[in-house]
Amino acid sequence: MSANRWLATGNFFTSYREEQRIFFTHLDRLIFAAFIVLLFAWPLFFELSNKYMLVINHTLIAVVAVMGLNIVTGYAGLISIGHAAFVGIGAYTVAGLATTLGDSHKLITHAWPLMIVLSGCMGALFGAFVGLPALRLKHLYLAIATLSFQMIFEWTIHFMRFFNQGQTIYIGRVHWLTGEVGRSSHYVFWYYASLVVVVITGFGIRNLMRTRFGRSLIAVRDNDRAADAMGMHPGLTKVYAFALAGFMAGLAGALHAYLYRGVGIESFTLHHSITYLAMAIVGGLGTLHGAFWGPVAIEFLDIQVEHLSAWAAQIFPAQGNLATALRPFSFGLVIVLFLMFEPRGIANWWRIARSYVKLWPFRY
Amino acid sequence: MRHVKIFLIGVAVVCLLFAAAGPSRAEVIKIALSLAMSGPTSDAGQPYAKGVEDFFKYVNEEKLLGKATIDCTIRDDQYKNDVTKRNFEEFLDMNIPIYLNYSTGSTLALKRDFEEEKIPTIPASFHRGNVEDSNYIFLPIASYSEQCIGLAEYVARNFDGGAKAKVALYIHPSAFGRGPVADLEKAIAAGLNIELVETVEHGTDLDSTATLQRLMSKGVQFVISQTVQSPVATFLNDAERLGIIAQTFGEKGKITFMGAHYTGGIDLIALAGSAAENFYWTTSYRLTSVPGVGTEAQLALAKRYGRDDQTANSHNYTNGIMVAQVAFEAIRRCKAKGNPVNRANLTAELNQMNGLNAFYPVTTVGPVTYSATDRAGVDDLQLYRVQDGEWHAVDAPFRSEFMRKVE
């Protein structure tokens, strides 16, 4: 470790403990703290339109979900094509209670933090259950098992009257210290709630990766037989990974239910699972900040292509059909380009940029 | 000299201020539509959007609101409720006085937002559940329930094969498809003289042979469909292959196929080809294959804005025009009374659109009538039948009698 705890160039560690530090220098810690303060403070100074607040909230929720997916796919190397179903489990936990107790019951509207945690636990339960085939299956076979769960989930919701057969189940407005959170403050309120969840879970995962379990995940991903020989249990490690991913997805689902004030099956389809996977790939699998970059990039792309489509339709009105095809086309194209040219995702650009800044003004 | 300079500078400043202000600005009424122009059901969404767009262009070019113009923002939501919500929030920031929505799912999902915002909303979905517990959603035409019950009434009236006609429902596995089932069952309980043998929720099957043979084995004579065109086309193609499509209404030993608004139109004929022959379909819209004043106006509008034949003859193009007509009419009446065009006044205008104030768009077979208790616009339905690859009107427009008993 560098003698100067404020500035350090290069990688120089004298102990394993030093290498596992979350912040290598005081400057890193300071910049991160300033960034967190900025994230919490900016809504006090700038007023964004509800549309963009909704986009930001949606992105934060996607970050929580993709952090979960990153555990199972990025760190543990298990392809999950059913992540939206786990998010749906979280959302339908809230919705199920809303159906049973009434959407304005105090448990839903007042004890919402508890509901979010409960949804996470339900997601973990289902995650562990779906992860059980991981004890016997690997690679594509396991991916098919997760796909099956997605199908079963959609079918179940579509056909169960209890879940309103996939139609919207309404969720009442929540209460906070100042009373009911009304429409005017709804998006700012859920921005803060989502941000708190993102920060807590982000730190949680960062710390988790420093534990025996975190190292086991990576060991099992790299070579499960070698991991087995080292005394780890590859099957249980995978089940834990699924449970943890399910927990994160469940949190995201509950946040989604509260943000949109309703739960409908359209938000948890296979298409959404593919989108989460795309976010993880574009962001960078196996890196924590990849889980942040991916959702931000995909949401940003979606908004920009929406504007581009609208502009193209105005400039070439006769080609309106073509303009609307820009969205799905650009989405697919971005995934293919990232897979071809930057499989390590945006996280790798971030790593390169950081390395450059860290060494600056020296070249190496 | 100094005073002259000051005077001239003063005049110049005043002129500049006037120039900056410009002529008195004409009123621009912003309204908005969110619909699926890509993704599922975009085959209906595309012509629908063009209908809305063309009609408002026409209104502005012909100055039908005087100096005021309508600026209608149209956004693609890809049939995703989350995107519809995002679009809706954007539209609210634009301070729209009326909103045009599309799917059943998104209308139900945003229903509470419409209530909170007190914004009149006209969706492209005719699901009866949309208007339950809602004061601001206005269906353009009779609900799917009313259409299906209307078809069942037609069966009951015209079936002469003995006892009760055996009917099966063929529905989309969603709120959109399931909506009419309970209402039809209530109508039967209220005395509608048919027997509902089975309700089939279709999946994404590419072959319906087994389903059709099961229905035949149960003696089903009529199938009423409440879904979109492609599954109906698959169903009809398989029925044609099995040789079970009735050539005349209620032909013995065969099945007469029927459907509600989104099952028919020129798209069904294009998809099913000869299998679409003798398909019975109901909607409140006029079709270009049955020429009249409304259809001529529709074709002229499509020609004016360079639309292709497919769009010009689509009933969803008619659908879009009609919804735009209703929104325009509410705005026109509001302005005619000298009232500001806002949500409350437009809601009031829509609610007063009945009796002598009913609105007669030439694109439908009956008047648009709304009130505080009636949220379905056009109550009249027209039955159409495919003959020689074209839709032909069957009998005069009708209204469902049993719908009043189950509401």
Side-chain angles (χ1 to χ4, degrees):
Chain A
M1 192 83 191
S2 167
N4 184 347
R5 294 299 304 275
W6 279 95
L7 291 168
T9 56
N11 297 317
F12 173 63
F13 305 110
T14 53
S15 68
Y16 185 68
R17 188 184 172 83
E18 278 183 7
E19 195 187 4
Q20 287 297 307
R21 292 176 68 90
I22 293 178
F23 301 106
F24 291 133
T25 65
H26 291 327
L27 191 63
D28 284 349
R29 184 183 287 115
L30 192 68
I31 291 171
F32 184 79
F35 179 64
I36 293 290
V37 168
L38 188 72
L39 284 178
F40 278 93
W42 74 263
L44 304 174
F45 302 103
F46 301 101
E47 194 178 340
L48 263 187
S49 67
N50 280 343
K51 176 193 171 181
Y52 286 105
M53 283 308 293
L54 179 62
V55 170
I56 290 171
N57 290 348
H58 190 85
T59 308
L60 288 175
I61 292 170
V63 166
V64 178
V66 173
M67 276 198 283
L69 183 62
N70 212 7
I71 292 171
V72 78
T73 302
Y75 293 123
L78 310 164
I79 304 169
S80 172
I81 320 178
H83 202 61
F86 294 117
V87 179
I89 292 289
Y92 273 100
T93 302
V94 181
L97 277 165
T99 304
T100 312
L101 306 170
D103 64 271
S104 297
H105 190 274
K106 282 193 174 176
L107 194 62
I108 307 282
T109 57
H110 289 63
W112 54 268
L114 181 70
M115 288 304 303
I116 292 172
V117 175
L118 182 69
S119 301
C121 294
M122 196 60 97
L125 195 69
F126 275 85
F129 180 71
V130 173
L132 285 178
L135 292 167
R136 300 291 297 269
L137 300 175
K138 285 203 290 191
H139 310 309
L140 279 177
Y141 302 101
L142 186 59
I144 297 298
T146 60
L147 178 66
S148 306
F149 175 65
Q150 175 75 50
M151 296 299 165
I152 292 166
F153 171 76
E154 284 185 39
W155 190 90
T156 308
I157 299 295
H158 262 304
F159 287 89
M160 278 187 74
R161 287 191 188 278
F162 178 72
F163 291 117
N164 210 11
Q165 295 186 313
Q167 288 179 54
T168 300
I169 297 171
Y170 298 109
I171 308 294
R173 286 206 176 278
V174 298
H175 284 247
W176 183 235
L177 301 173
T178 49
E180 189 183 82
V181 178
R183 185 171 176 79
S184 58
S185 51
H186 177 79
Y187 293 109
V188 174
F189 178 83
W190 285 106
Y191 168 77
Y192 282 117
S194 306
L195 190 60
V196 167
V197 174
V198 167
V199 171
I200 292 172
T201 52
F203 268 107
I205 290 175
R206 182 68 186 87
N207 278 300
L208 186 82
M209 297 320 293
R210 302 194 299 170
T211 63
R212 182 180 185 276
F213 172 70
R215 292 192 294 276
S216 296
L217 283 177
I218 294 166
V220 167
R221 176 190 68 189
D222 292 346
N223 190 328
D224 55 356
R225 287 181 184 178
D228 198 3
M230 297 281 285
M232 298 166 209
H233 193 304
L236 281 182
T237 305
K238 290 174 186 175
V239 173
Y240 290 149
F242 267 104
L244 203 55
F247 179 77
M248 300 289 288
L251 295 181
L255 287 171
H256 188 283
Y258 278 115
L259 175 67
Y260 286 91
R261 294 204 301 127
V263 180
I265 188 64
E266 288 100 335
S267 301
F268 312 103
T269 60
L270 179 62
H271 175 86
H272 292 83
S273 284
I274 304 291
T275 305
Y276 287 132
L277 203 53
M279 286 173 173
I281 291 168
V282 168
L285 283 168
T287 58
L288 179 59
H289 46 268
F292 293 82
W293 291 118
V296 170
I298 295 288
E299 288 293 331
F300 180 77
L301 176 78
D302 191 43
I303 294 284
Q304 293 313 311
V305 176
E306 180 182 293
H307 292 156
L308 185 68
S309 301
W311 176 80
Q314 279 180 349
I315 303 292
F316 310 107
Q319 306 299 320
N321 297 3
L322 201 64
T324 52
L326 271 175
R327 275 171 100 158
F329 175 76
S330 60
F331 179 77
L333 186 68
V334 164
I335 307 300
V336 171
L337 289 177
F338 264 92
L339 284 172
M340 283 175 68
F341 299 109
E342 188 51 281
R344 286 175 292 181
I346 300 173
N348 194 43
W349 300 350
W350 174 246
R351 186 187 62 78
I352 293 166
R354 276 197 69 185
S355 302
Y356 178 80
V357 172
K358 199 172 175 185
L359 296 175
W360 190 86
F362 306 109
R363 289 187 65 195
Y364 51 85
Chain B
M1 190 61 190
R2 192 162 168 253
H3 289 291
V4 173
K5 269 187 183 171
I6 290 170
F7 173 74
L8 286 173
I9 290 168
V11 169
V13 168
V14 170
C15 288
L16 275 172
L17 285 173
F18 271 102
S24 59
R25 286 175 185 240
E27 185 186 5
V28 177
I29 299 157
K30 283 182 175 284
I31 67 173
L33 161 67
S34 177
L35 83 171
M37 292 168 76
S38 59
T41 77
S42 56
D43 53 338
Q46 287 277 358
Y48 187 93
K50 285 167 186 161
V52 172
E53 184 185 341
D54 290 355
F55 184 75
F56 286 135
K57 263 191 204 171
Y58 174 78
V59 166
N60 293 340
E61 286 175 9
E62 294 299 320
K63 301 193 185 311
L64 298 184
L65 285 174
K67 284 182 182 174
T69 53
I70 293 175
D71 176 10
C72 182
T73 304
I74 299 175
R75 287 262 189 277
D76 176 24
D77 60 25
Q78 307 164 67
Y79 208 70
K80 293 178 188 166
N81 293 350
D82 297 356
V83 181
T84 311
K85 173 104 173 170
R86 191 173 81 200
N87 290 342
F88 180 65
E89 291 296 348
E90 181 186 358
F91 299 150
L92 290 182
D93 290 337
M94 290 158 51
N95 201 22
I96 53 168
I98 188 166
Y99 172 58
L100 311 180
N101 198 47
Y102 185 67
S103 68
T104 301
S106 64
T107 307
L108 290 171
L110 295 178
K111 196 188 321 190
R112 286 197 174 179
D113 291 281
F114 302 150
E115 289 296 303
E116 282 183 357
E117 286 293 325
K118 297 182 170 39
I119 185 165
T121 301
I122 309 177
S125 158
F126 317 137
H127 178 53
R128 198 163 79 85
N130 289 341
V131 294
E132 285 170 359
D133 304 321
S134 168
N135 298 303
Y136 297 95
I137 298 175
F138 297 85
L139 306 185
I141 64 169
S143 67
Y144 302 130
S145 297
E146 192 158 358
Q147 293 174 30
C148 289
I149 292 173
L151 286 171
E153 285 175 21
Y154 185 84
V155 169
R157 271 199 308 274
N158 294 280
F159 178 65
D160 58 1
K164 286 181 179 179
K166 291 190 170 187
V167 177
L169 279 176
Y170 182 65
I171 61 166
H172 193 272
S174 66
F176 155 73
R178 290 172 182 136
V181 179
D183 287 331
L184 185 59
E185 286 168 350
K186 281 184 202 166
I188 293 168
L192 178 57
N193 194 30
I194 62 160
E195 181 189 346
L196 184 60
V197 177
E198 187 177 338
T199 299
V200 180
E201 289 197 4
H202 66 74
T204 49
D205 305 347
L206 297 175
D207 191 294
S208 306
T209 307
T211 307
L212 284 162
Q213 286 183 330
R214 187 177 72 246
L215 295 182
M216 284 296 287
S217 71
K218 288 183 174 179
V220 168
Q221 296 143 300
F222 298 91
V223 170
I224 296 174
S225 312
Q226 165 48 15
T227 176
V228 290
Q229 293 108 337
S230 52
V232 174
T234 306
F235 212 49
L236 291 176
N237 280 321
D238 289 334
E240 185 183 43
R241 187 168 43 74
L242 293 171
I244 57 169
I245 296 180
Q247 298 304 306
T248 54
F249 184 83
E251 185 185 350
K252 205 172 178 185
K254 302 279 177 76
I255 298 178
T256 302
F257 291 91
M258 313 175 96
H261 178 87
Y262 283 107
T263 62
I266 54 169
D267 297 332
L268 180 71
I269 296 174
L271 287 167
S274 60
E277 287 290 311
N278 296 306
F279 185 82
Y280 286 80
W281 175 53
T282 192
T283 181
S284 298
Y285 293 104
R286 294 187 187 279
L287 299 184
T288 54
S289 57
V290 186
V293 178
T295 56
E296 282 169 14
Q298 175 180 329
L299 291 172
L301 190 76
K303 191 178 176 188
R304 179 173 175 147
Y305 296 109
R307 300 303 184 190
D308 55 32
D309 283 352
Q310 175 83 8
T311 304
N313 292 293
S314 167
H315 66 294
N316 289 313
Y317 183 64
T318 324
N319 198 349
I321 294 171
M322 181 267 186
V323 165
Q325 280 180 299
V326 174
F328 160 74
E329 181 63 14
I331 293 168
R332 190 192 66 76
R333 290 182 183 190
C334 192
K335 286 187 75 67
K337 289 177 186 169
N339 293 331
V341 179
N342 58 30
R343 294 172 192 176
N345 288 338
L346 291 187
T347 305
E349 286 302 337
L350 287 168
N351 279 329
Q352 288 162 21
M353 219 174 250
N354 53 58
L356 293 174
N357 286 322
F359 171 50
Y360 291 81
V362 289
T363 42
T364 57
V365 295
V368 177
T369 56
Y370 292 121
S371 71
T373 52
D374 171 21
R375 288 292 153 75
V378 182
D379 298 322
D380 298 284
L381 290 165
Q382 174 65 56
L383 191 67
Y384 294 98
R385 178 188 180 194
V386 182
Q387 282 177 301
D388 302 323
E390 276 202 335
W391 292 103
H392 294 273
V394 179
D395 300 340
F398 64 97
R399 287 188 182 193
S400 165
E401 292 167 20
F402 277 86
M403 192 64 207
R404 307 289 162 266
K405 296 178 183 174
V406 302
E407 273 179 329

